[in-house]
């Protein structure tokens, strides 16, 4: 199980990026992505997505597709430089803290306007944060950022002041969409308002949402008043494809421009296709096994149907010793991944951690057998492992029906664990959210994309993230609640020294590893493809061999230039790197994957 992050790192404060002059697209520019253009030459960039939108409300959304949309439509206080993910200005042009680090003052830019013409001010930001502080439903998606806020005020339109209860390390990485007060103050119940009934939706980002149909599409138009410059395509469409092969077929036909999360076979086949470019970059996410530690709520209520044997550390450790990560990387990902170790992918070197040799749970089937024998899980007459209560070790694992990796790894797990005398039923569902939220699973394929600051993906394993009662929805990924983990999390959250904080984050990962509730199997590459006759240039993140979809900002779709216009206008942005693909170019994107806190329809839901 959570986007999104997740996911943020303490960074240097940088100067703002240079604004880009909008590119004028002439009537000869071709329509991209197969969308109707009425014959007027409008350019449409269509992205194939495999993930359902959980909500268009920034207060509720946690899936990657949804949070990606919000990055396009709302400004955050700060942004991440496309070149190297350093902190740069967003809605705020500058910020400073008091000597005791308990008061932060942000200067809000004067040239940001809501798409309905009103100026975006500090009052909008203060209202957004205060609403999250005072309404638990408004804190559903990003409440971890404001839990430590004491008071937020806007003394004037350009000044935002946040007073903290104690120091908070994420104050330059508050990944919270700022919404227009004059629109959202009319909302009654934040738990039910999905922001999907009236269009266009008012925002101040580079795009404006103009239409949405559940599991069909989301349409966006350029925000012509965006302070950094309007996007170059006339329309951006995220089109839903349940089947990955169908999305690839649409890419070949030119019906879409970009598809992410390609299988190795799809990537190989597309490398020789005309007018298609495959981008294979180190990814932001991890791919893991999660065990049910006994679903519970803050009030002590237990629920769900998790197998009790998984509460035994010896059983969890035995299962993980039987997993051959090398085979998963070589056979399932076919080399488009690296073996998993810690919770934070190696792309984020400051926080990357790996277990010591004596601590590592490596592939060792004999050790797995020994652990089970010593813990009293003996084989019966038919070779099945049985606990002292007489119950067989037969487990269920939640599998995302849209993710071929889950299905392939599931077959290997059935073989490996079967050799231990353990049964496994692979439940591949279109919607894994419901059984996961109810605790009705034993194991699950889990994955999150991690942002430059890892705070969010660490927070989802704290006791504070559990639901208040069994009937509520919490921010937890997997119902983990461990006192020692919580103590380390609390310390890193208030640590401003980068080196000290990095050490604490690594100790957090070590503790999570030792509890055995999570087992990171791989760090998949971002394997994606796009049409070079649709898109002439696009910004990758990071600049050196980075990914296009699921970035930490809005750079890819904001920067994308139609192929027919590749020779016109100015050349780029100081925050991005232009990937020039030739006189004709196209992008094909499939939004997908990151596992959300309670909403799971693909391999990963959060940023």
């Amino acid at each position: 199980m959570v986007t999104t992050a997740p996911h943020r790192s303490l960074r240097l404060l940088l100067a703002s990026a240079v604004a880009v002059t909008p590119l004028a697209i002439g009537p000869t520019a071709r329509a991209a992505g197969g969308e109707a253009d009425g014959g007027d030459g409008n350019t449409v960039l269509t992205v194939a997505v495999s993930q359902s939108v959980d909500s268009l409300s920034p207060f509720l959304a946690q899936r990657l597709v949804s949070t990606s949309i919000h990055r396009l439509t709302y400004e955050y206080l700060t942004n991440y430089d496309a070149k190297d993910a350093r902190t740069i200005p967003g809605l705020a042009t500058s910020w400073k803290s008091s000597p005791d680090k308990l008061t932060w003052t942000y200067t809000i830019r004067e040239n940001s306007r809501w798409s309905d013409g009103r100026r975006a001010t500090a009052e909008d930001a203060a209202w957004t944060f205060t609403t999250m502080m005072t309404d638990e439903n408004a804190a559903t998606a990003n409440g971890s950022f404001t839990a430590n806020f004491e008071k937020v005020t806007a003394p004037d339109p350009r000044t935002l002041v946040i007073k903290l209860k104690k120091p908070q390390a994420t104050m330059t990485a508050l990944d919270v969409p700022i919404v227009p007060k004059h629109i959202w103050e009319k909302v009654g119940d934040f738990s039910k308002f999905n922001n999907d009934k009236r269009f266009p939706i008012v925002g101040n980002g580079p795009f404006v949402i103009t239409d949405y149909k559940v599991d069909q599409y989301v349409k966006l138009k350029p925000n012509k008043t965006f302070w950094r410059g309007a996007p170059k395509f006339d329309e951006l469409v995220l089109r839903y494809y349940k089947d990955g092969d169908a999305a690839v077929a649409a890419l070949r036909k030119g019906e879409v421009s970009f598809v992410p999360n390609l299988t190795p076979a799809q990537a190989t086949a597309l490398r020789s296709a005309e007018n298609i470019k495959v981008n294979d970059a180190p990814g932001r996410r991890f791919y893991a096994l999660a065990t049910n530690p006994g679903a519970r709520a803050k009030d002590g209520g237990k629920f769900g149907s998790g197998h009790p044997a998984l509460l035994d550390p010896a059983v969890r450790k035995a299962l993980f010793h039987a997993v051959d990560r090398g085979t998963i990387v070589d056979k399932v990902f076919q080399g488009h991944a690296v073996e998993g170790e810690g919770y934070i992918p190696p792309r984020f070197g400051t926080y990357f951690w790996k277990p010591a040799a004596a601590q590592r749970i490596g592939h060792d089937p004999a050790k797995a057998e020994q652990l089970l024998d010593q813990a009293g899980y003996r084989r019966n007459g038919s070779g099945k492992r049985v606990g002292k209560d007489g119950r067989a070790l037969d487990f269920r694992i939640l599998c995302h029906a849209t993710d071929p990796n889950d299905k392939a790894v599931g077959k290997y797990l059935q073989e490996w664990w079967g050799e231990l005398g353990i049964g496994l039923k692979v439940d591949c569902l279109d919607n894994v959210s419901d059984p996961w939220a109810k605790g009705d699973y034993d194991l699950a394929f889990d994955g999150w994309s991690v942002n430059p600051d890892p705070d969010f993906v660490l927070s989802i394993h704290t006791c504070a993230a559990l639901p208040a009662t069994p009937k509520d929805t919490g921010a937890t990924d997997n119902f983990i609640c461990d006192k020692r983990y919580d103590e380390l999390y609390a310390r890193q959250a208030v640590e401003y020294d980068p080196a000290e904080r990095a050490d604490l984050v690594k100790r957090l990962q070590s503790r999570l590893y030792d509890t055995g509730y999570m087992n990171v199997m791989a760090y998949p590459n971002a394997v994606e493809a796009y049409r070079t006759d649709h898109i002439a240039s696009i910004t990758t993140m990071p600049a050196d061999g980075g990914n296009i979809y699921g970035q930490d900002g809005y750079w890819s779709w904001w920067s994308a230039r139609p192929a027919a216009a590749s020779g016109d206008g100015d050349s780029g942005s100081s925050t991005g790197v232009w990937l020039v693909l030739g006189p004709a170019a196209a992008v094909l994107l499939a939004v997908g994957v990151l596992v959300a806190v309670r909403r799971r329809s693909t391999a990963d839901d959060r940023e």
Side-chain angles (χ1 to χ4, degrees):
M1 298 186 70
V2 239
T3 344
T4 231
H7 3 258
R8 302 128 169 90
S9 103
L10 200 56
R11 303 179 252 317
L12 298 175
L13 309 182
L14 299 182
S16 175
V18 177
V20 177
T21 302
L23 173 67
I25 300 175
T28 58
R30 65 171 291 172
E35 292 293 326
D37 65 358
D40 60 1
N42 286 345
T43 54
V44 182
L45 173 58
T46 302
V47 170
V49 301
S50 61
Q51 188 179 59
S52 299
V53 171
D54 53 346
S55 178
L56 289 180
S57 165
F59 296 106
L60 300 178
Q62 300 184 57
R63 291 181 182 168
L64 181 62
V65 62
S66 309
T67 55
S68 295
I69 291 169
H70 290 143
R71 283 193 177 276
L72 297 174
T73 54
Y74 299 99
E75 279 272 61
Y76 298 19
L77 289 181
T78 59
N79 204 337
Y80 302 105
D81 189 279
K83 183 178 180 179
D84 53 18
R86 291 174 293 179
T87 296
I88 61 173
L91 181 61
T93 59
S94 62
W95 44 89
K96 62 182 179 179
S97 68
S98 60
D100 63 4
K101 306 293 186 181
L102 293 179
T103 300
W104 286 74
T105 303
Y106 301 81
T107 299
I108 303 301
R109 67 175 59 255
E110 293 183 281
N111 59 340
S112 177
R113 305 195 74 83
W114 298 111
S115 53
D116 62 1
R118 295 202 189 190
R119 177 182 165 189
T121 70
E123 182 63 26
D124 295 303
W127 185 89
T128 298
F129 291 129
T130 300
T131 300
M132 294 169 60
M133 294 162 58
T134 56
D135 188 318
E136 64 179 2
N137 293 319
T140 299
N142 297 302
S144 61
F145 290 113
T146 59
N148 181 46
F149 287 11
E150 180 177 302
K151 187 178 183 180
V152 183
T153 58
D156 61 68
R158 293 205 63 199
T159 306
L160 176 73
V161 180
I162 301 177
K163 292 187 176 181
L164 305 173
K165 300 172 185 175
K166 56 187 176 182
Q168 181 169 323
T170 60
M171 295 307 290
T172 61
L174 297 172
D175 286 348
V176 177
I178 303 302
V179 302
K181 175 185 175 182
H182 66 282
I183 299 295
W184 284 84
E185 64 184 353
K186 302 171 186 176
V187 174
D189 187 344
F190 283 90
S191 69
K192 297 179 180 178
F193 183 73
N194 281 313
N195 196 31
D196 58 2
K197 296 296 186 290
R198 298 184 63 181
F199 300 96
I201 295 174
V202 177
N204 64 338
F207 288 90
V208 177
I209 302 172
T210 59
D211 197 9
Y212 165 62
K213 291 289 185 285
V214 176
D215 286 349
Q216 294 185 45
Y217 60 77
V218 181
K219 294 184 177 182
L220 306 96
K221 293 279 191 179
N223 179 1
K224 299 299 184 182
T225 63
F226 183 53
W227 66 271
R228 203 184 287 273
K232 313 305 182 288
F233 276 85
D234 296 313
E235 187 173 34
L236 172 65
V237 179
L238 307 184
R239 186 166 294 282
Y240 178 78
Y241 286 85
K242 179 179 177 180
D243 181 76
D245 288 334
V248 169
L251 178 67
R252 286 181 175 273
K253 295 175 183 177
E255 295 172 352
V256 299
S257 305
F258 180 96
V259 174
N261 309 316
L262 297 174
T263 66
Q266 290 169 340
T268 299
L270 289 173
R271 288 187 190 279
S272 60
E274 185 178 3
N275 295 325
I276 291 178
K277 170 73 174 180
V278 174
N279 187 50
D280 190 348
R284 294 171 49 201
R285 63 180 292 261
F286 61 81
Y287 181 73
L289 284 174
T291 61
N292 185 342
R296 52 185 157 166
K298 292 178 185 175
D299 67 359
K302 297 181 179 180
F303 55 97
S305 58
H307 198 299
L310 289 171
L311 300 178
D312 187 337
V315 174
R316 300 195 299 271
K317 195 170 184 179
L319 292 176
F320 296 158
H321 268 305
V323 174
D324 186 346
R325 297 180 185 84
T327 292
I328 290 173
V329 169
D330 293 340
K331 301 299 184 182
V332 177
F333 291 99
Q334 296 184 26
H336 299 281
V338 294
E339 287 190 38
E341 296 180 288
Y343 193 64
I344 308 298
R347 171 167 166 170
F348 304 103
T350 300
Y351 300 110
F352 177 62
W353 169 87
K354 59 172 60 182
Q359 182 184 19
R360 187 171 185 268
I361 305 175
H363 181 227
D364 190 344
K367 179 68 173 178
E369 294 270 7
Q370 182 184 32
L371 285 168
L372 292 170
D373 287 340
Q374 291 176 344
Y377 297 92
R378 302 288 182 175
R379 293 180 186 266
N380 61 17
S382 59
K384 294 283 294 183
R385 292 278 179 179
V386 178
K388 296 176 181 178
D389 59 359
R391 183 172 175 179
L393 297 191
D394 287 326
F395 301 130
R396 307 156 295 171
I397 186 167
L398 284 176
C399 159
H400 302 84
T402 56
D403 191 342
N405 295 324
D406 284 7
K407 298 174 184 177
V409 174
K411 292 180 179 178
Y412 278 109
L413 295 179
Q414 286 177 320
E415 176 186 342
W416 295 332
W417 294 349
E419 292 173 354
L420 296 176
I422 296 173
L424 180 67
K425 180 184 178 183
V426 182
D427 290 327
C428 291
L429 307 174
D430 289 335
N431 174 22
V432 301
S433 301
D434 291 342
W436 202 313
K438 295 175 182 176
D440 288 332
Y441 67 99
D442 300 321
L443 299 107
F445 290 106
D446 200 358
W448 285 83
S449 285
V450 179
N451 275 5
D453 187 295
D455 182 81
F456 180 83
V457 290
L458 298 174
S459 74
I460 59 180
H461 295 305
T462 61
C463 300
L466 295 174
T469 73
K471 295 181 179 180
D472 293 316
T473 296
T476 183
D477 174 49
N478 199 44
F479 304 105
I480 295 173
C481 179
D482 177 75
K483 183 178 179 180
R484 286 176 59 187
Y485 181 92
D486 274 20
E487 290 172 349
L488 289 167
Y489 175 80
R491 289 175 61 187
Q492 69 82 32
V494 302
E495 180 56 68
Y496 284 107
D497 181 86
E500 291 293 331
R501 184 168 181 239
D503 179 67
L504 287 166
V505 168
K506 291 176 182 178
R507 291 171 62 185
L508 264 170
Q509 295 178 76
S510 178
R511 177 58 185 171
L512 186 62
Y513 188 90
D514 287 344
T515 63
Y517 294 121
M518 296 281 294
N519 183 264
V520 177
M521 296 182 288
Y523 307 114
N525 287 2
V527 186
E528 48 201 8
Y530 52 88
R531 291 200 62 89
T532 56
D533 54 350
H534 290 188
I535 293 184
S537 60
I538 194 165
T539 299
T540 62
M541 185 177 185
D544 185 14
N547 60 294
I548 295 171
Y549 177 70
Q551 295 181 354
D552 299 305
Y554 45 64
W555 310 113
S556 54
W557 312 127
W558 169 75
S559 70
R561 291 174 177 264
S566 61
D568 302 323
D570 68 279
S571 60
S573 159
S574 65
T575 61
V577 94
W578 291 108
L579 197 59
V580 179
L581 306 172
V587 186
L588 152 46
L589 159 81
V591 173
V593 313
L594 250 181
V595 202
V597 166
R598 297 282 214 165
R599 306 167 170 88
R600 304 188 171 262
S601 60
T602 62
D604 44 357
D605 284 347
R606 178 83 189 190
E607 288 188 289

